[in-house]
Amino acid sequence: MMRPFSQRVCIYCRLSRRSFASAVRPPTAPKPSPDIKHIRQNPEIYSQNCRDRNYPSHADYPFKIQQLSNELRQIDQQLIPSRSRIKTLEKSIGRLQNPATDPKEKEQEPALRAEAQQLKEQSLALTNLSSSFTEQINELALSLPNLSSSHTPVGSEATLVEYLNFDPQSPPSWVHNPDASRSHVAIGSTLGLIDFASAATTTGWGWYFLIGDGAILEQALIQYSLSVARRHGWSPVSPPSIVYSYVADACGFQPRDQNNEQQIWAIEQAEKDKSKPQRSLTATAEIPLAAMHAGRDLDPSTLPLKLAGPSRCYRAEAGSRGVDTKGLYRVHEFTKVEMFGWADNAPTSSSPSSDDLFENLLTVQKEILTSLHLPCRILEMPTTDLGASATRKRDIEALFPSRMRGNGLDDAWGEVTSASICTDYQSRRLGTRVRGGSAKETRFPHTVNGTAMAVPRVLAAILENGWDADRQVVVIPEVLRPYMGGAEVIGK
């Protein structure tokens, strides 16, 4: 007789981090495939990674996955003799249905049926518990951040890689003569390029109108960055700005991040539509581009696949970081050109790897910012600054005169681009696989993403760094002039 297994409710899966994972998924949604085996075999590595990445509440999850997996194996072991005994009983009961069966043997039938029924009920309870444990293991595994690269500094301090258009021994002249009027807010308002007041009336705080040459400069930045990306092999795609919420979750974007800041705007549903899949506004074109091949097999001969998508982006966290809240630096809606790529991760593959694509992303970013004559620095970002999906990230920061505070240049730097490697984090959650080629096994491709152009921040940096106070004009970078009717300056 099989030992009864008490019914339990697992407390492990009361996740502290809000997620879209429990939202209703459309029928087309692929089944996510986290690498549970690797987590189970390396719980210490994953636990330390959670602490390094500022996910302290998740540090116990790898061990809980290991414990639940052990209990799951115990359940499976208990089910083996039970199912075997049920088959034996059913055969015995079947033989008793023969009219030639001895009546005395026939008397055993009620007892056999009772035993079979009891075993079936116990097996069903164990099967349900097994399914529950499997679901809990998957939920815990999917909530873990990606493992950090060996290139990523542990902690909260970024590592300086190099400078662009900047010599720390000979900084721009305005560094020694801070001027509050050298702000893109003041410059944009004076020259009639930006209107925050009207946007506050039409939409609220955190939005803006770009007017006249301001609007033309936005389009020039989009077209120029796309032209550079295309020259480096990134194919343009115009993606949707609304996605199923599970897609944002699969890409590592949660309703709130590890700092409890809201990231994503979910679209409100009418009561009658609550049973339908939830949709969200995209925070970046990375999200819809990543889902273009969700649930599909990629032919290795098509890799690497490199896309560049200009889109409107929607961020819910604007206004939460002090000095960042003023002007265009942190807004709720903006235009961005995002690069996204897939690479085969087969060891025997001869095609470019995700590391190669990562370097290609950086090459595009450096070319664009160098040609815009913006003083920048490149940083290898630390573990606490990585999003859930990234294993490695490099940011490029530009100098903003308006951000200078008492600490001199330390406060004046502001992020204008980022580039990330996500290994198979996103492809596992979106069911994108590579099949065929030099490797027999089906595998999950690695993904990379990076900013080609975040318009508001770069536009603000151009206004502040290109400002000629004597002439009261902004000097337009040479590479943008063909997209602005040949004009050399904006202003009087």
Side-chain angles (χ1 to χ4, degrees):
M1 185 71 65
M2 183 172 60
R3 178 175 62 85
F5 204 107
S6 59
Q7 193 74 26
R8 288 171 287 177
V9 176
C10 178
I11 62 171
Y12 298 156
C13 290
R14 295 173 183 171
L15 305 182
S16 62
R17 190 174 172 208
R18 297 183 183 180
S19 173
F20 286 128
S22 59
V24 178
R25 295 163 64 90
T28 55
K31 181 180 178 181
S33 303
D35 195 349
I36 294 170
K37 180 180 179 181
H38 195 260
I39 299 170
R40 189 178 66 241
Q41 294 176 342
N42 302 278
E44 295 85 2
I45 294 175
Y46 282 87
S47 180
Q48 184 60 49
N49 185 64
C50 288
R51 289 189 285 272
D52 292 342
R53 301 275 290 254
N54 196 28
Y55 288 73
S57 62
H58 292 51
D60 288 339
Y61 291 1
F63 298 104
K64 292 168 182 176
I65 289 172
Q66 189 179 57
Q67 180 180 338
L68 280 170
S69 297
N70 290 336
E71 294 187 22
L72 194 57
R73 282 194 291 272
Q74 292 177 19
I75 293 173
D76 291 339
Q77 288 299 314
Q78 290 191 55
L79 282 169
I80 293 173
S82 171
R83 288 167 175 167
S84 177
R85 176 59 179 164
I86 290 172
K87 288 182 179 180
T88 301
L89 290 171
E90 288 177 341
K91 288 180 180 179
S92 299
I93 293 170
R95 284 195 298 270
L96 294 177
Q97 307 312 305
N98 190 326
T101 302
D102 188 320
K104 288 185 178 180
E105 290 186 35
K106 189 78 171 174
E107 293 174 1
Q108 301 176 15
E109 184 176 349
L112 295 177
R113 289 187 179 277
E115 182 183 354
Q117 182 61 33
Q118 182 182 13
L119 288 171
K120 287 179 180 179
E121 291 174 356
Q122 292 177 349
S123 294
L124 178 61
L126 282 175
T127 300
N128 290 339
L129 190 59
S130 175
S131 297
S132 175
F133 280 11
T134 299
E135 182 179 346
Q136 292 166 19
I137 289 170
N138 273 280
E139 186 176 354
L140 286 167
L142 290 171
S143 71
L144 295 174
N146 201 352
L147 290 177
S148 301
S149 165
S150 59
H151 296 282
T152 300
V154 176
S156 58
E157 295 297 322
T159 300
L160 176 64
V161 178
E162 63 176 308
Y163 290 107
L164 304 176
N165 300 326
F166 179 78
D167 179 358
Q169 302 304 318
S170 180
S173 58
W174 55 258
V175 170
H176 305 293
N177 300 289
D179 180 1
S181 67
R182 197 182 182 100
S183 157
H184 69 273
V185 175
I187 296 169
S189 299
T190 299
L191 299 182
L193 307 177
I194 312 170
D195 184 350
F196 292 102
S198 295
T201 301
T202 62
T203 316
W205 192 93
W207 278 268
Y208 56 93
F209 283 99
L210 292 178
I211 305 168
D213 284 340
I216 296 173
L217 180 55
E218 175 181 50
Q219 297 305 314
L221 289 169
I222 295 169
Q223 290 303 314
Y224 173 62
S225 61
L226 270 177
S227 70
V228 176
R230 289 180 64 193
R231 185 156 31 82
H232 286 272
W234 298 83
S235 301
V237 175
S238 183
S241 294
I242 295 177
V243 295
Y244 286 121
S245 296
Y246 88 87
V247 173
D249 180 81
C251 290
F253 291 82
Q254 304 285 342
R256 290 186 179 276
D257 64 13
Q258 67 267 41
N259 298 311
N260 200 38
E261 288 189 344
Q262 187 176 355
Q263 288 186 301
I264 298 291
W265 261 323
I267 297 176
E268 186 176 4
Q269 294 171 295
E271 193 62 37
K272 64 181 179 62
D273 294 327
K274 293 293 185 183
S275 61
K276 297 180 180 179
Q278 187 183 45
R279 291 181 173 88
S280 300
L281 297 177
T282 58
T284 166
E286 170 193 346
I287 298 172
L289 291 178
M292 278 188 73
H293 297 286
R296 299 182 188 175
D297 291 342
L298 298 177
D299 188 317
S301 66
T302 65
L303 299 176
L305 186 57
K306 299 158 60 177
L307 305 178
S311 73
R312 296 294 279 179
C313 302
Y314 302 87
R315 301 287 176 94
E317 91 290 67
S320 61
R321 300 178 189 245
V323 65
D324 291 352
T325 67
K326 296 180 180 179
L328 294 175
Y329 191 81
R330 189 171 294 277
V331 290
H332 287 304
E333 180 182 359
F334 58 95
T335 302
K336 181 159 73 84
V337 179
E338 182 77 4
M339 296 175 287
F340 190 91
W342 293 262
D344 196 348
N345 70 337
T348 57
S349 174
S350 59
S351 66
S353 67
S354 56
D355 287 329
D356 295 326
L357 291 192
F358 182 67
E359 292 301 325
N360 191 216
L361 288 172
L362 291 168
T363 298
V364 173
Q365 293 172 339
K366 288 192 287 186
E367 179 178 335
I368 291 172
L369 294 173
T370 299
S371 65
L372 294 176
H373 305 299
L374 295 177
C376 298
R377 67 178 183 180
I378 302 176
L379 303 175
E380 187 78 46
M381 301 309 292
T383 51
T384 56
D385 198 76
L386 301 186
S389 62
T391 183
R392 182 186 182 190
K393 181 164 80 90
R394 277 192 178 180
D395 284 359
I396 302 182
E397 298 181 337
L399 270 180
F400 289 84
S402 64
R403 292 170 62 86
M404 283 193 67
R405 296 296 182 270
N407 297 324
L409 287 182
D410 287 345
D411 291 327
W413 297 102
E415 178 195 339
V416 289
T417 73
S418 68
S420 300
I421 303 179
C422 297
T423 61
D424 61 3
Y425 180 99
Q426 295 173 329
S427 57
R428 282 184 172 276
R429 285 157 175 77
L430 290 169
T432 305
R433 291 173 169 82
V434 179
R435 190 184 301 275
S438 58
K440 294 182 179 179
E441 300 81 8
T442 300
R443 60 269 185 204
F444 295 95
H446 285 189
T447 62
V448 301
N449 66 81
T451 316
M453 179 60 60
V455 170
R457 292 186 180 183
V458 174
L459 189 150
I462 289 174
L463 294 186
E464 295 189 12
N465 284 279
W467 177 241
D468 185 330
D470 293 333
R471 293 191 292 162
Q472 293 289 291
V473 298
V474 173
V475 178
I476 301 172
E478 293 87 341
V479 293
L480 297 183
R481 293 173 187 174
Y483 304 96
M484 300 191 68
E488 297 182 1
V489 297
I490 297 174
K492 299 176 182 178

